[in-house]
Amino acid sequence: MNTGELLSIEPLELKFPFELKKQISCSLQLSNKTDSYVAFKVKTTNPKKYCVRPNAGIVLPRSACDVIVTMQAQKESPPEMQCKDKFLLQSVKTHDGVTAKDINAEMFNKEAGHHVEECKLRVLYVSPPEPPSPVPEGSEEGSSPRGSVSDNGNANGTDFSNASRAFVEQFEPQDKSSEAKALISKLTEEKNSAIQQNTKLRQELELLKRQGNKNRAGVSFMFVIFVGMLGIILGYLMKKS
């Protein structure tokens, strides 16, 4: 913090968390340590690179105001992240009731006999803060986000269960489909075989029926011949006697 007679300036180093192609801002706080109106003006060695709001103003007695310094988006990183840019903040006592519209360059002219305090500010580039690592909801500090292991050594992590379920669901329909196709094919073969056996049995049964009819017809014809011969023989014997 600057310990000048007029203003206290915090900080004395403008620190920008440097990132390519991104506007970056930092702030200065100016505190009036006097009972008078104090005018200030901010200058920089690289005015095209920075935007200062306000770049000039009035700090009321025993009051403070903020100054925002914005660095325009940069297309490339500086060598070794070093910056040679500097700022100069000038302050001077002025009359009561003065406003920012009344500020002019003559007020900060030392040759005109004005007591002008000056404070030089350095520019530093720092690494941007790293984003916090995501922590799974419900996990405790220090525990593994992949799930815990119970006392008996069995994993009971939710992620493991979900992964197992997804794996089973992914491959189970394919397994069921293959089993079904194999079962259908087997049943079809057994059905065709049964039909063939049934047809073969019917053919053999018809053949047996035909053979049985022929045998019965032969037996009846022989029986008729036998009876006829027997009748002839009996008639002959009766005539002879």
Side-chain angles (χ1 to χ4, degrees), residues 16-36:
F16 294 92
F18 188 87
E19 293 186 58
L20 290 176
K21 300 180 181 180
K22 182 177 180 181
Q23 283 190 347
I24 308 167
S25 299
C26 64
S27 63
L28 291 171
Q29 187 178 65
L30 311 180
S31 300
N32 187 349
K33 301 191 293 183
T34 71
D35 296 324
S36 303

Side-chain angles (χ1 to χ4, degrees), residues 11 13-18 24-27 122-126:
E13 294 179 338
L14 298 175
K15 296 182 179 181
F16 294 92
F18 188 87
I24 308 167
S25 299
C26 64
S27 63
R122 295 176 57 198
V123 176
L124 296 178
Y125 293 153
V126 296

Side-chain angles (χ1 to χ4, degrees), residues 2-235:
N2 181 40
T3 57
E5 296 179 0
L6 302 179
L7 297 178
S8 294
I9 305 170
E10 177 68 26
L12 295 178
E13 294 179 338
L14 298 175
K15 296 182 179 181
F16 294 92
F18 188 87
E19 293 186 58
L20 290 176
K21 300 180 181 180
K22 182 177 180 181
Q23 283 190 347
I24 308 167
S25 299
C26 64
S27 63
L28 291 171
Q29 187 178 65
L30 311 180
S31 300
N32 187 349
K33 301 191 293 183
T34 71
D35 296 324
S36 303
Y37 280 61
V38 175
F40 71 89
K41 187 175 184 179
V42 182
K43 297 180 180 180
T44 178
T45 57
N46 197 342
K48 293 183 179 180
K49 185 177 179 180
Y50 301 95
C51 177
V52 182
R53 290 291 184 272
N55 64 341
I58 300 294
V59 185
L60 299 179
R62 306 295 175 179
S63 301
C65 74
D66 292 328
V67 176
I68 305 300
V69 182
T70 302
M71 182 178 68
Q72 304 302 320
Q74 301 298 300
K75 296 182 180 180
E76 57 183 13
S77 301
E80 299 181 358
M81 294 294 287
Q82 298 297 320
C83 182
K84 297 181 180 180
D85 301 332
K86 290 181 175 61
F87 285 80
L88 177 67
L89 191 145
Q90 297 176 311
S91 58
V92 62
K93 282 186 179 181
T94 186
H95 303 293
D96 293 350
V98 173
T99 64
K101 295 180 180 180
D102 301 324
I103 296 176
N104 54 65
E106 185 64 23
M107 297 173 63
F108 302 93
N109 188 357
K110 294 181 180 180
E111 296 179 356
H114 298 144
H115 177 67
V116 181
E117 283 189 354
E118 294 182 343
C119 179
K120 294 181 180 180
L121 307 174
R122 295 176 57 198
V123 176
L124 296 178
Y125 293 153
V126 296
S127 301
E130 296 182 359
S133 58
V135 179
E137 184 178 355
S139 64
E140 297 180 357
E141 184 178 357
S143 62
S144 173
R146 298 183 180 179
S148 59
V149 178
S150 59
D151 295 337
N152 59 6
N154 295 325
N156 56 0
T158 304
D159 294 341
F160 179 79
S161 299
N162 293 338
S164 300
R165 188 180 302 109
F167 181 84
V168 172
E169 291 177 354
Q170 180 180 0
F171 291 97
E172 186 175 4
Q174 298 180 2
D175 295 340
K176 289 184 177 180
S177 178
S178 301
E179 293 178 359
K181 290 181 179 180
L183 181 60
I184 292 174
S185 177
K186 183 177 180 180
L187 292 176
T188 302
E189 293 178 358
E190 292 180 354
K191 178 182 177 182
N192 294 335
S193 177
I195 292 174
Q196 293 177 358
Q197 292 290 338
N198 191 18
T199 303
K200 186 176 181 180
L201 290 174
R202 288 183 179 180
Q203 293 176 352
E204 292 179 355
L205 182 60
E206 291 293 334
L207 181 60
L208 291 175
K209 287 182 178 180
R210 292 175 183 176
Q211 291 178 354
N213 292 334
K214 290 182 178 180
N215 292 334
R216 285 195 296 271
V219 171
S220 299
F221 181 73
M222 290 298 295
F223 181 74
V224 170
I225 293 175
F226 176 75
V227 172
M229 290 296 294
L230 182 59
I232 294 172
I233 295 171
L234 291 175

